Amino acid sequence: IAYMSKMMRAIRVSEFGAPSVLKLCSDVKVPQAGHRQVLIRVHACGVNPVETYIRAGMFARRPNLPYTPGDDAAGVVEAVGEGVAALKAGDRVFTTATETGAYAEFTIAAEDSVHKLPDVLDFKQGAAIGVPYFTAHRALIHKGCAKAGQTVLIHGASGGVGVAACQLSRALGLRVLGTAGTPEGMKLVLNNGAHLAFNHREKGYIDKIMEATDGKGIDVIVEMLSNVNLSKDLQMLAYGGRVMIVGCRGPIEINPRDTMFKESSITGVSLFSATPEEKQESAAFLYAGMEAGWLRPVVGSQYPFDNAAQAHHDIIESPGATGKIVLTI
């Protein structure tokens, strides 16, 4: 089997730091699939904010150096390890986690983190499913307990998780409000399931959101930038409302009194904490969304694989997201 002795190109991180620590290496050994593992030839991989936090050494989980970043790979199964029954060489797949990193020509993933990619979606779209859609489902259903007829605010709705949360919320029968930082972002949000869009760079946008709820407030807020928005979020909630913390880039001061009268709650969301049963439930629900056609990942900026450092810079520094950032391999 040719790939067993082969070398591949991969992005490697040998020290924590700025985007420039992402280095392209062309002499990385192609990994081999062990028990219940799958070797995938990667065609595209998704870039998520969490990967920039890990690379900077600011995340709770610090991988052993050197490592290859990334969990969202899409490609074709090259080989399967012993004990793998549901997948075979040649299958089109996407991942929700990898063992060896997705920013590479080949990656190893555990069988339960590999999912079939329907033919209607291309590999770039496949690379935009994993972390964003599974996070959105966890935030809305497993943690947010969102129910049809309730109102949801996607605070930062034009990026990877935001677009996923809009599509999911609409499919779940929620009233969907979304925010973005640019006119293009607002258009994207409306095209992907939001009933109303607001510009979060505009003064007074919170008042407009409250007006749109007739002053009743929001039942569930999916929050992408809690270090800026959390205090405002608590003031926008309806009675029993809850804020789901998906993204945070630092501390913020809040007044706990804002939670008392409304009996509201703040809940952290981490895909890494999902149980195997929760992952299975998310996978089944999202696969149904692909079949039904409402799950349509929006690919934003695309970068060649060797330009990962630029992608890491842009995902954090850009004035407003429009879809999912993807590396093509």
Side-chain angles (χ1 to χ4, degrees), residues 54-301:
I54 295 169
R55 181 215 73 228
M58 286 165 20
F59 197 63
R61 284 187 327 151
R62 284 180 82 149
N64 295 326
L65 297 168
Y67 77 96
T68 294
D71 281 309
D72 288 346
V76 176
V77 174
E78 183 84 7
V80 297
E82 54 175 314
V84 175
L87 297 158
K88 61 185 188 310
D91 284 349
R92 298 172 82 250
V93 293
F94 70 93
T95 63
T96 49
T98 68
E99 303 296 316
T100 59
Y103 298 16
E105 289 179 319
F106 292 90
T107 190
I108 293 280
E111 180 186 24
D112 62 1
S113 298
V114 182
H115 308 273
K116 288 195 176 161
L117 182 66
D119 290 340
V120 290
L121 299 177
D122 64 29
F123 290 122
K124 288 178 218 167
Q125 289 175 303
I129 299 171
V131 168
Y133 282 86
F134 280 71
T135 298
H137 186 258
R138 183 166 185 75
L140 288 162
I141 298 298
H142 294 150
K143 296 294 164 189
C145 305
K147 295 190 169 45
Q150 292 185 331
T151 299
V152 64
L153 172 67
I154 315 299
H155 214 161
S158 64
V161 180
V163 168
C166 286
Q167 292 177 359
L168 261 153
S169 296
R170 188 66 178 249
L172 290 162
L174 297 160
R175 182 154 188 257
V176 190
L177 314 184
T179 78
T182 63
E184 305 86 73
M186 287 169 71
K187 208 163 125 187
L188 183 75
V189 167
L190 290 169
N191 285 341
N192 283 283
H195 295 92
L196 296 168
F198 303 86
N199 188 331
H200 53 225
R201 295 189 188 279
E202 227 173 68
K203 238 183 124 161
Y205 82 97
I206 301 284
D207 299 332
K208 286 187 182 170
I209 291 172
M210 288 306 288
E211 275 165 37
T213 70
D214 295 326
K216 293 189 187 84
I218 310 281
D219 297 302
V220 179
I221 298 178
V222 180
E223 181 51 67
M224 311 304 169
L225 196 60
S226 51
N227 53 296
V228 172
N229 298 325
L230 185 55
S231 181
K232 293 181 278 200
D233 289 340
L234 294 177
Q235 291 159 35
M236 281 193 282
L237 289 175
Y239 176 77
R242 45 261 181 229
V243 184
M244 302 296 119
I245 309 286
V246 169
C248 181
R249 297 179 189 173
I252 183 173
E253 188 174 308
I254 62 166
N255 186 346
R257 187 179 294 277
D258 292 337
T259 66
M260 291 166 69
F261 179 66
K262 294 174 179 174
E263 298 195 318
S264 57
S265 57
I266 301 165
T267 302
V269 179
S270 168
L271 204 46
F272 303 116
S273 306
T275 65
E277 295 73 29
E278 286 171 331
K279 286 180 195 165
Q280 267 178 323
E281 187 193 328
S282 294
F285 187 81
L286 295 171
Y287 196 81
M290 294 179 224
E291 289 185 317
W294 58 255
L295 194 161
R296 324 175 288 283
V298 176
V299 176
S301 308

